[in-house]
Amino acid sequence: MQMTVLAISLVVMAALAWAFVAAVRASGSDEVSTGVETQRNRLIALLTVVGVIVSIASLRPWPHAVSAAPAAVINVSGGQWYWDIDAQDVPLHQPVAFNVHTVDVTHGFGVVNEAGRMLFQTQAIPGYANRVDYTFDTPGTYRVVCLEYCGVAHHDMITEFTVAAE
Ligand SMILES: [Cu+2]
């Protein structure tokens, strides 16, 4: 899917670049080129090249690679107002895949460390299983909270799981 989107994006960008070059060429075809126009066209060409280089350089790390084979798959089920997590053995220093879904309304699955810092999150959406991968580098107790208002006891939709030291 990502390769298809990339291919479509490249084709559209090539078409836009071609239209841009054609428009620039057509704009100067029936006039005598002056020094100012030549300078302007060179500036436009330079900015285009710089823009392409900056875009490619800044987009190289995306899309993020999804780890192919997680060390553990943890199923998460959200409901009003609880989290059901089969997280008995969450490994340390190895990728873990959380498969998150809901049995009723939309919830926000968020994992918080002992310092209260949000580590990652994804939505629990009716009819879908969202996968989020994470590698725990610190053993400890992690808190799961709901990040999407889901009813009167939303604030109390909290549970915990433990990542044991090796
Ligand atoms: Cu909620």
Side-chain angles (χ1 to χ4, degrees), residues 13-132:
M13 283 190 279
L16 287 172
W18 176 83
F20 179 77
V21 169
V24 168
R25 282 192 176 157
S27 69
S29 62
D30 57 346
E31 298 173 13
V32 177
S33 183
T34 66
V36 173
E37 286 172 340
T38 304
Q39 225 172 8
R40 185 193 64 202
N41 289 346
R42 283 186 183 151
L43 180 63
I44 289 171
L46 176 70
L47 289 176
T48 303
V49 169
V50 169
V52 168
I53 290 170
V54 167
S55 297
I56 290 171
S58 63
L59 292 174
R60 277 194 67 207
W62 283 279
H64 292 294
V66 174
S67 57
V73 176
I74 295 170
N75 294 304
V76 179
S77 181
Q80 288 170 317
W81 291 274
Y82 63 89
W83 291 109
D84 189 12
I85 302 177
D86 63 351
Q88 279 76 39
D89 300 309
V90 181
L92 192 64
H93 303 306
Q94 293 177 351
V96 176
F98 290 86
N99 283 331
V100 181
H101 78 280
T102 174
V103 298
D104 42 44
V105 300
T106 299
H107 301 280
F109 173 75
V111 174
V112 179
N113 68 11
E114 290 176 352
R117 181 167 175 239
M118 178 70 59
L119 300 178
F120 60 93
Q121 64 89 30
T122 190
Q123 277 196 310
I125 303 171
Y128 294 92
N130 279 337
R131 174 177 159 177
V132 59

Side-chain angles (χ1 to χ4, degrees), residues 132-157:
V132 59
D133 289 17
Y134 191 78
T135 301
F136 293 94
D137 290 323
T138 309
T141 302
Y142 292 82
R143 209 157 39 101
V144 176
V145 297
C146 183
L147 302 174
E148 181 95 29
Y149 181 73
C150 55
V152 292
H154 157 74
H155 64 281
D156 209 25
M157 195 170 157

